[in-house]
Each structure stands twice: as structure tokens, then as C-alpha cells.
Amino acid sequence: MSVCFPDKGLQLFSSIMGCPVVMEITLCVVFVMLASVDSCGGSLSFASYYGDHMVLQKSPERAVLWGYGPEGGHVSVSLSGPITQETSPVTVTEGIWRVSLDPVEAGGPYRVTVATQNSTATLTGVLFGDVWLCGGQSNMYFKTSQIFNASEELALAAKYPHVRTFMAALNYSDTELTDLTQVELPWTVPTARNLSEFSAVCWLFGRYMYDILKYPIGLVESCWGGTPVEAWSSSRALQQCGLQQTTDSPKDRNSVLWNAMIHPLLNMTIKGAIWYQGEENADYHQDKYNCSFPAMIDDWRMAFHQGSGKQTEIDFPFGFVQLSTNKKNSTDDGFSNIRWHQTADVGFVPNPKMPRTFMAVAVDLPDETSPYGTIHPRDKQDVAYRLTLGARAVAYNEKDVHFLGPFPNQVRSLPMHVNVTYDQAVSVTPSKDAFEICCSGNQDCSPQSLWVPAPIMQWGSTTVQLSTLYCLPTEVVTALRYAWRDWPCDFKACPIYSASRILPAPPFIVNLYSSEGNI
């Protein structure tokens, strides 16, 4: 296999060309490819994230292959394995070649050879399956060797030779790069050794999906701890939310990780993405996250669609983890607000503002004794499992997969209590303070208003009745919220779950005046 890493010094196209207009992204991707060739010396090679043992996206999409070659050379790509295929020759232009294969069904192994008149480069052990991109900050970066029961999980690695892993190295750039400047972990068949350093959520998600799908899964990890959403977003996305540069930390600057760790991947055809991030934004542009996060998703979708020659779906499925917990007994609303903003202030996904998304609620998975800090819970198995439920329903259209926890569809305030009706059967345990009411009479209750506990009085199959005893006789209940704390319950002990007790109810906040009792 031959791989070339472009010189950072040659990646100056964006400062000259720029990509300010969304409709021009196809041209910008071409310019990006043309900007970084000379560092390969004209030799025939694949781009950095192609390698032996990799997974290419299966049919019905077409996998894209690209790399570097001698200027003016004619390049063809051949596929040998369960089926054979050879592409029509393409001309190396400004040192870049690029081809799209015809659709290939899941399976392998394959040998992929790119050839010019005088040289060849080959990938071996290639499989076709679904490629998932895993991004975010430290809870996505959290290693498989750090989770609960890590030794047992690592021992399973050899049983999943068709789940392949790749990790981009940590790099940032002030300009959009064509290719990764460095690879941390090239494509590998999983072993306990290399898996120990790989993202736990990413691996577990891929392994669980393989158990369902029974065909190859490719996992691409590109994440960095302690980073805000702004660093992973293009300037186009940030402009939609009116965000300006306000931080001096190099890796936190607007778009620097998009430039170095996402933009280089755009030519790759992918099935979808999963994401675990938001902790950093609890203190940074918190009030903008209900715009910046959906905008990033929309922009990634458009960019991957265009960058892959329209092979990656324009609305590819995007899953994410709603924030877990950080500080027990904290009165700060940062995590609560971000959880709400992660849903574009709707409370659940998918929703009209965030179509084809799915969410793993993790508010009930705290880890008070985590040696990596309470902000890094070690139970990533439940997180990944909840993500797979959403992926099965949203990405793979399984009709009978229950993936959403209970959410209220009606709230009624009466003189002595509040009735909450859920959209599904619920399993309820008593709680004195998981529900809170705002009863100041102010029609514009917000998280900053005075909130008092609303103890659970009784419940039915789909309803919960809450007490209003902490309201003064002269007050009326104007708003209701649930699990609106950094650390609202102990491990798997929140009061409201699905009837099976598998899926926790997500946090919510509702103003009863504006909603007229309906959510």
C-alpha cells in the first residue's frame, strides 16, 4: 500500500480561494484537492485514509477512491475478489486522481489496485460495508481500555474481524486541508492491543451494529477532548448562528478541527455519523448551541454529499449522545441547558429542526467514582446500545425498534396538582424533586426563575400526577420541568422510563401559558 501525507505548507488554498458560498462547495473541494500535490513528488499513491484492511462504503452508494499521481498520467482502478471491476482511465490533474467505483455489495476481501503506465499501488484485505464517522470531544475519545469491564471487551476483539477501525491524529489548521496531515491508527483488523486505544463508544456502536447487520462495519474516529462545537464547524455553519472568534486556545478556534480533521474526509463515502460533545459548550456560547449544533449537522451533510460526488446521502443519519452528568449537587444549569439545546429546544429527536437524527439519553448514567473524573462516566456500553436502537430505526428503517424514551404530549395544571400525560406507557418510581414547577405567576418562566419541587403523587400506565403543595395559595403553576439538573438521579434510577425500563425519559421544560398544556 502507498499513502502520501501532503505538506501543511501547501494547504493555502482557502486563504486564497475561500469557500464562502454554500453552492460553491463542489468547486472548493476540487481546489482543495489541487492545492497539495507536490509533496507527493508525483508518485502514485492513495490518500492518507485509505489502507489495507479498510472498509469502503457498500451499495447502493458508490465508494470514492482518490490519491496522488504523476501529472498527466492516466489512472485506472481495478477491484479483484468476490467480484471484479475496472474503472475507465482518469487523468491525473494537478497531481490528483479520483474515481468512483460502481456499487459493490457488502463483503470481501478485495484487492484494490490503482495503476498508471509505469507504476501501481495496492490495497489488500479491503471489505465493503457501512462506514460510520465518530466525532466529538473527550467522551467520544474515551478509550475502550478505560470502560467498565474493559478486559472482557478487549478479549472480544478477535471475534469481530469484520469491524475495522481507523483513527485520525490530533491536528488543527487555520485553513481547510485536503488530506489528513497524520494518521494515529491506520485501518486495522481489531486486536486487544490496538482496540485499547480506540474510542469505546465508537467501537461498541460498531460491534453492536455488526451483531444486527452481519456485514462489515468501518469506524473512523476523528475527535479531540475539551473542544467546542465551533472548532468542528465550518465558517459557513458558524455564520448562520452569528458566531465570531472569541477564544485564544489554538485547538478551540473556530473551524480549526473542521479544517484539519473533518474537511480532509469529505471525499469519502460514509453511511452516517455519531457524535458525543457539548460539555465544553456548557461554558462557551451555551445560548447559541441550539443553533450551532443543528447548523453543524446540516453543514456536514451538505459537505460530505458534495465532497463524495453526491454518494454520501444529503441527509445521512446523524446520532448523538445527550450529555450525561458532571457535578453532583451542582446548581449550575449549564449541562441542563445544553441537553435541551442538543435537541434544538424540542426535547427529542428526530424533529422538524433535526430530521434523520437519533439520540442516546445518558442523564441516568453517572459515575461518581470514575478515576477519569465524574465528567467521564465509564459505562459506555449502555450509551452505545441506546445509539444502536436509534440507528436501527432512523438509519436502517427498522419499523419495530423502540428507540425513544417517554415524552409528555400533554400537561394540565389544576388547583392542587399537575397531570402529565406521556406518549407511551411508562415505568415510574417515586421522586420528591425530579419534577419541578415554576409558580411565580410569571408567564415567561425560564431556567433562571424560581423553581420548587413537584413530588410524584400517583401514576397510571401513561400518566403521572404531581403535587403543587410548594406553590403559595395565591400562585399558579406557569411552567414544568423534569430532570433539569446536572446530576438528576443515581445510576439507572431516574423516576420515568419506558415500560420496559430500557429507555429513560429525556429532560424537558414547558411553559404552560405558551403551550396551553400541549407539548
Side-chain angles (χ1 to χ4, degrees):
M1 187 203 80
S2 178
V3 171
C4 181
F5 291 93
D7 186 341
K8 278 186 178 179
L10 296 172
Q11 309 292 341
L12 301 177
F13 82 97
S14 65
S15 61
I16 301 170
M17 305 303 302
C19 291
V21 182
V22 170
M23 293 302 293
E24 294 177 356
I25 187 167
T26 303
L27 292 176
C28 293
V29 170
V30 173
F31 289 136
V32 122
M33 293 169 63
L34 303 183
S36 61
V37 182
D38 292 342
S39 59
C40 299
S43 62
L44 187 66
S45 64
F46 289 90
S48 66
Y49 46 87
Y50 297 89
D52 297 338
H53 313 300
M54 78 175 301
V55 176
L56 291 171
Q57 182 59 41
K58 72 171 187 68
S59 60
E61 291 78 31
R62 296 155 60 102
V64 176
L65 296 161
W66 72 277
Y68 310 96
E71 183 65 23
H74 297 288
V75 170
S76 62
V77 174
S78 61
L79 193 67
S80 60
I83 65 167
T84 59
Q85 187 181 138
E86 184 165 0
T87 67
S88 299
V90 296
T91 302
V92 178
T93 305
E94 298 291 336
I96 293 288
W97 59 266
R98 168 179 163 143
V99 300
S100 296
L101 298 175
D102 290 335
V104 178
E105 293 184 0
Y110 285 90
R111 184 181 183 90
V112 182
T113 301
V114 57
T116 62
Q117 298 91 327
N118 301 315
S119 60
T120 62
T122 301
L123 309 178
T124 61
V126 174
L127 302 178
F128 282 80
D130 282 341
V131 179
W132 284 86
L133 173 63
C134 304
Q137 59 178 108
S138 57
N139 270 304
M140 182 62 82
Y141 193 76
F142 199 80
K143 300 174 183 179
T144 306
S145 58
Q146 297 173 314
I147 62 173
F148 286 129
N149 302 316
S151 57
E152 291 88 340
E153 185 60 42
L154 294 173
L156 290 173
K159 295 184 178 181
Y160 290 87
H162 289 169
V163 182
R164 307 286 175 84
T165 56
F166 174 92
M167 189 194 309
L170 306 183
N171 280 288
Y172 59 87
S173 172
D174 288 329
T175 58
E176 291 177 328
L177 304 186
T178 310
D179 203 352
L180 299 173
T181 56
Q182 187 181 356
V183 168
E184 183 69 26
L185 177 70
W187 285 101
T188 59
V189 178
T191 65
R193 181 176 180 180
N194 59 48
L195 189 59
S196 67
E197 299 298 304
F198 193 74
S199 162
V201 171
C202 190
W203 165 255
L204 290 164
F205 174 81
R207 179 168 81 75
Y208 296 164
M209 290 309 305
Y210 178 83
D211 285 338
I212 299 296
L213 299 171
K214 305 298 184 185
Y215 59 70
I217 301 291
L219 301 171
V220 177
E221 177 185 341
S222 185
C223 51
W224 195 332
T227 53
V229 72
E230 291 81 0
W232 297 99
S233 303
S234 74
S235 59
R236 290 181 306 272
L238 296 175
Q239 286 169 7
Q240 294 180 37
C241 302
L243 285 163
Q244 304 297 324
Q245 190 65 262
T246 59
T247 180
D248 296 325
S249 174
K251 68 181 175 67
D252 293 347
R253 289 199 300 266
N254 286 359
S255 305
V256 293
L257 302 183
W258 156 265
N259 292 340
M261 298 178 67
I262 299 299
H263 190 270
L265 305 175
L266 295 185
N267 293 341
M268 178 170 53
T269 309
I270 64 172
K271 174 66 176 180
I274 58 172
W275 175 262
Y276 196 159
Q277 189 275 336
E279 297 92 340
E280 191 73 6
N281 287 98
D283 296 314
Y284 179 65
H285 288 161
Q286 178 195 121
D287 60 333
K288 292 285 190 176
Y289 203 83
N290 56 358
C291 177
S292 57
F293 182 45
M296 188 204 78
I297 295 173
D298 290 344
D299 188 73
W300 278 28
R301 285 170 165 169
M302 181 271 297
F304 272 95
H305 180 67
Q306 296 287 354
S308 64
K310 301 185 179 180
Q311 292 308 305
T312 298
E313 291 182 295
I314 186 63
D315 60 345
F316 68 76
F318 193 105
F320 62 93
V321 183
Q322 192 178 48
L323 289 191
S324 183
T325 52
N326 183 18
K327 299 176 182 178
K328 196 170 188 178
N329 301 319
S330 172
T331 58
D332 185 90
D333 279 334
F335 269 43
S336 299
N337 293 339
I338 290 294
R339 290 181 191 125
W340 187 243
H341 292 338
Q342 284 178 300
T343 68
D345 297 352
V346 173
F348 58 87
V349 298
N351 63 54
K353 295 181 180 179
M354 301 177 68
R356 290 203 82 194
T357 58
F358 53 96
M359 176 176 76
V361 177
V363 71
D364 67 328
L365 303 175
D367 185 358
E368 194 168 1
T369 59
S370 173
Y372 312 103
T374 52
I375 200 171
H376 299 126
R378 287 167 289 175
D379 177 14
K380 299 301 192 239
Q381 290 90 337
D382 281 296
V383 168
Y385 174 70
R386 291 171 184 178
L387 281 173
T388 62
L389 295 177
R392 290 169 63 187
V394 173
Y396 295 96
N397 300 312
E398 290 191 43
K399 301 303 181 185
D400 298 323
V401 176
H402 187 199
F403 72 104
L404 294 173
F407 199 81
N409 55 21
Q410 187 178 78
V411 177
R412 292 293 184 200
S413 177
L414 300 172
M416 298 299 294
H417 56 268
V418 174
N419 281 342
V420 182
T421 303
Y422 282 90
D423 59 3
Q424 60 183 270
V426 293
S427 174
V428 182
T429 54
S431 172
K432 295 180 179 180
D433 57 3
F435 288 93
E436 296 173 294
I437 49 178
C438 178
C439 43
S440 65
N442 183 351
Q443 296 185 20
D444 297 316
C445 278
S446 70
Q448 290 72 42
S449 302
L450 177 64
W451 294 80
V452 296
I456 295 175
M457 297 171 60
Q458 57 187 23
W459 58 89
S461 61
T462 60
T463 60
V464 175
Q465 187 179 94
L466 310 173
S467 170
T468 61
L469 66 90
Y470 290 104
C471 280
L472 295 175
T474 57
E475 295 178 327
V476 295
V477 176
T478 55
L480 172 71
R481 66 186 187 183
Y482 168 75
W484 204 270
R485 284 199 293 276
D486 182 322
W487 194 301
C489 60
D490 291 331
F491 185 78
K492 292 190 178 180
C494 282
I496 312 296
Y497 283 82
S498 60
S500 64
R501 291 202 62 81
I502 292 175
L503 294 169
F508 72 83
I509 186 169
V510 57
N511 189 307
L512 300 183
Y513 275 85
S514 62
S515 70
E516 296 183 350
N518 295 301
I519 295 181

